[in-house]
Amino acid sequence: MYSKADAALWSGRIDDNDNRAHFRNFQVAQVVDAEGELTERFDVGILGYAVDRGVYLNQGRVGTKQGPDAIRTKFGNLPLIHDLSIADFGNVTTEEKFVENVQHEYAELIDKTNDYAKFHLLIGGGHDISYAHFKGLKALYPEQSIGVINIDAHFDLRDSESATSGTGFKQILDEDADAGYLVLGLQEAGNTQHLFEVAEQYDVKYVLAEDIDYDTTDEIIQSFIEQYDIIMLTLCLDVIDSAYAPGVSAPCSFGLTPQQVERLIREILSYGKTRHLSIAEMNPEYDIDGRTAKLVGNIMFFAVHRNPNIL
Ligand SMILES: N=CN[C@@H](CCC(=O)O)C(=O)O
Ligand SMILES: [Mn+2]
Ligand SMILES: [Mn+2]
């Protein structure tokens, strides 16, 4: 079910109403009805996946349904740099027991809004956003090969009769023989032995969190990216240590720092093969003082202000 974004979320401290050098993101963000006819083109498009049913189906802590709106208010209050234009294309949500329909609806919205923003921020919501993100890219690039990079503590390669927040990448690999999968920041303690076996079976590449600063990480990223036409980039916030990111469905010890994650995103975006970034598992119910939502706002700030696809 689609709903337009709540314009009241785009509010905050006003230093000046006219001089754009004083502006914060909320002062330029425009609420756009993605169900209507789209005409105006923007630098940045935001599309929310306000869904936690996939987390519930994966036996996780629910609450990610509130994630996109919590993120909007934090991103909105960060300064506007480079005078970017920002469209808020709204949210999808669902009351259904399963997430397949809402994933399909979200993929269609990615496809429909694609030409109306140079770069899209797809904000969740459970990591079932991954499969919807992929389906959106498939609709946009049916003939091109897609390499999937997931910055995550988990493989999310579970097998299940219905889609959950833990099955997205297995669904992708089962469906598309040309797709490849690289996980950055994986935790040995976050995945069972069975999941490592599944990863091996599907020829999944990964870099453990403890190895992320080694020079070989950039070489692994480069050789992976060079194999594909399009790179799908998705961030599961539980890859970040729970000291920085407590507001997630499955918090993680020994996780990456925000600086490490920002560097990885910048490195991947520098290849110019990525026009959408999905950010999953923001769960305001477990956040402390809005710190995780603010961290996501900052990750988005870097992703748009240091982005060769926009500037
Ligand atoms: N999207 C989340 N996936 C993780 C959750 C792990 C957990 O609940 O501890 C997974 O399924 O492995
Ligand atoms: Mn995860
Ligand atoms: Mn995940």
Side-chain angles (χ1 to χ4, degrees):
M1 190 183 14
Y2 173 76
S3 59
K4 257 173 69 177
D6 177 0
L9 295 168
W10 296 104
S11 60
R13 177 195 169 102
I14 296 178
D15 292 334
D16 195 288
N17 272 315
D18 303 309
N19 183 346
R20 293 173 79 91
H22 290 274
F23 275 22
R24 296 167 196 282
N25 292 323
F26 76 84
Q27 289 174 277
V28 300
Q30 280 188 47
V31 170
V32 176
D33 182 357
E35 282 190 326
E37 194 195 341
L38 301 173
T39 48
E40 196 176 342
R41 287 167 200 271
F42 296 83
D43 293 314
V44 179
I46 294 173
L47 197 52
Y49 183 79
V51 177
D52 57 14
R53 189 70 195 173
V55 174
Y56 171 83
L57 292 167
N58 194 31
Q59 303 178 44
R61 314 190 295 182
V62 294
T64 55
K65 181 155 56 170
Q66 312 298 339
D69 286 356
I71 292 169
R72 279 180 173 95
T73 60
K74 299 299 184 193
F75 176 65
N77 275 286
L78 297 179
L80 176 73
I81 315 272
H82 304 309
D83 210 6
L84 299 177
S85 56
I86 302 170
D88 187 347
F89 292 121
N91 282 339
V92 297
T93 189
T94 185
E95 301 293 322
E96 294 179 11
K97 285 203 166 90
F98 298 105
V99 296
E100 278 79 357
N101 287 337
V102 75
Q103 285 177 315
H104 180 71
E105 184 182 13
Y106 195 68
E108 285 190 337
L109 282 170
I110 293 171
D111 186 20
K112 179 174 178 185
T113 58
N114 180 66
D115 288 347
Y116 299 92
K118 291 181 191 162
F119 191 82
H120 280 248
L121 295 160
L122 309 174
I123 52 177
H127 213 178
D128 30 310
I129 195 176
S130 59
Y131 183 68
H133 180 172
F134 180 78
K135 293 299 274 184
L137 295 186
K138 259 323 220 192
L140 289 168
Y141 312 108
E143 304 300 331
Q144 286 161 282
S145 62
I146 301 178
V148 179
I149 302 184
N150 179 22
I151 307 176
D152 199 335
H154 308 104
F155 281 120
D156 291 353
L157 283 169
R158 293 180 189 281
D159 212 356
S160 162
E161 275 175 24
S162 64
T164 77
S165 65
T167 62
F169 303 93
K170 185 157 186 301
Q171 291 175 264
I172 293 169
L173 296 174
D174 280 337
E175 228 172 77
D176 185 351
D178 295 329
Y181 184 30
L182 169 65
V183 189
L184 301 173
L186 194 87
Q187 292 287 341
E188 231 170 342
N191 300 273
T192 57
Q193 201 175 308
H194 170 72
L195 288 167
F196 278 93
E197 285 162 11
V198 175
E200 195 176 343
Q201 201 184 315
Y202 281 78
D203 197 24
V204 174
K205 308 279 180 278
Y206 64 87
V207 179
L208 292 175
E210 64 205 74
D211 295 331
I212 215 78
D213 285 332
Y214 291 164
D215 292 345
T216 49
T217 300
D218 283 358
E219 288 162 27
I220 291 166
I221 290 171
Q222 181 180 1
S223 75
F224 182 83
I225 290 179
E226 282 173 355
Q227 291 173 57
Y228 300 96
D229 301 320
I230 301 293
I231 294 299
M232 166 176 153
L233 176 58
T234 184
L235 167 66
C236 187
L237 291 166
D238 59 36
V239 77
I240 301 171
D241 194 275
S242 59
Y244 302 102
V248 297
S249 312
C252 169
S253 312
F254 290 91
L256 299 182
T257 64
Q259 289 85 347
Q260 287 175 309
V261 168
E262 191 277 320
R263 196 196 71 73
L264 290 172
I265 293 172
R266 186 153 29 97
E267 176 70 17
I268 295 160
L269 292 180
S270 75
Y271 289 85
K273 292 188 179 184
T274 306
R275 289 190 48 231
H276 305 75
L277 165 65
S278 57
I279 302 178
E281 300 288 337
M282 172 69 229
N283 188 333
E285 297 238 356
Y286 296 91
D287 208 359
I288 301 172
D289 198 24
R291 105 171 47 146
T292 313
K294 182 133 195 197
L295 174 58
V296 180
N298 278 265
I299 289 171
M300 287 163 62
F301 175 90
F302 284 125
V304 299
H305 293 308
R306 294 181 177 175
N307 188 323
N309 300 278
I310 300 176
L311 305 175

